[in-house]
Amino acid sequence: MKIFALSDPHFSLGTPEKGMEAFGAIWREHHKTIERHWRAAVGPTDLVLVPGDLSWAMRMEGALPDLHFIGALPGIKVVTRGNHDYWWTSKAKVRAALPESMIAIDGDAIRVGKVAIAGTRLWDLPDVSFAEIIEWMPNPFGKEKAKPTQVEKEQSLGIYRREVGRLKLALAELEKIAADMDAAMRIAITHYPPCSADLQPNELTALFEAHRIRHVVFGHLHAVSPRRSPAPFGERGGVAYHLASCDYTEFRPVLIDEV
Ligand SMILES: [Fe+2]
Ligand SMILES: [Fe+2]
């Protein structure tokens, strides 16, 4: 089984008024580009990790065309929630609505063949900026983000702490799953990056190392050039960190391993 990653497709098949073209020509009909590359690379028994920002829709009815589009692509798709997935209400509702070939994880873990996968959304890391690796991107909404106030910073830290708790729960469940398995590969998927681009150690990298995670796959960052040198992220402490945002992977599912 090959293991691929592709994040942040931001599809809008059910909400065409919100197309990603507003963010630049590379996004024009990007669902067709993704489909072409995906079908060329991924077989029906392969695994594809899609850690969030799946659809622009606000409600489940609007997200269904996007979910069925992903569901119809080859492979087993394991997905988690991004900050733009407003249609993702409860995990039970999402699981009931997903096509058969898609599995949702959100603060928990599952097993696919010999692979154990933990997943959660996560949040902005305190005191980590990615400004240096993000290239200019058109802002179709015309408003620059204001600098966060002290109150906003504290709120953000509160969400981050809660999300770390959810990641710990997911990793504890992964341990249980992996204990029952022979030669399990351990993977974590998070929507937000869990470390800085230069892999400075933090409490999350320590957690992944303690749980013997082999790969961490995430997205959320856009407008990072695939030609950037040195490439951001990479490997530290036996854990490989993969930025899989689809504009970074040039709309291709990226092969990360094979079991
Ligand atoms: Fe995104
Ligand atoms: Fe995001």
Side-chain angles (χ1 to χ4, degrees), residues 149-222:
T149 62
Q150 193 53 34
V151 173
E152 285 167 337
K153 274 190 186 170
E154 275 160 29
Q155 280 171 344
S156 183
L157 190 61
I159 301 172
Y160 168 77
R161 294 256 46 103
R162 196 183 66 209
E163 290 288 330
V164 172
R166 302 185 81 235
L167 176 63
K168 286 181 179 169
L169 288 176
L171 291 170
E173 200 170 328
L174 176 139
E175 285 293 344
K176 276 193 228 152
I177 292 171
D180 298 336
M181 289 164 69
D182 201 21
M185 176 176 289
R186 296 155 175 240
I187 294 179
I189 63 174
T190 60
H191 178 63
Y192 286 79
C195 56
S196 61
D198 61 353
L199 299 176
Q200 291 300 313
N202 65 24
E203 62 177 326
L204 304 181
T205 60
L207 267 179
F208 295 131
E209 287 168 30
H211 287 276
R212 291 183 288 128
I213 298 294
R214 177 67 193 103
H215 298 280
V216 184
V217 174
F218 49 89
H220 186 64
L221 301 178
H222 291 286

Side-chain angles (χ1 to χ4, degrees), residues 21 113 253:
E21 307 78 60

Side-chain angles (χ1 to χ4, degrees), residues 53-77:
D53 283 358
L54 309 180
S55 169
W56 273 118
M58 301 296 286
R59 292 166 170 275
M60 184 57 86
E61 311 87 87
L64 284 176
D66 298 327
L67 300 179
H68 285 288
F69 179 79
I70 299 168
L73 294 170
I76 303 154
K77 282 74 74 176

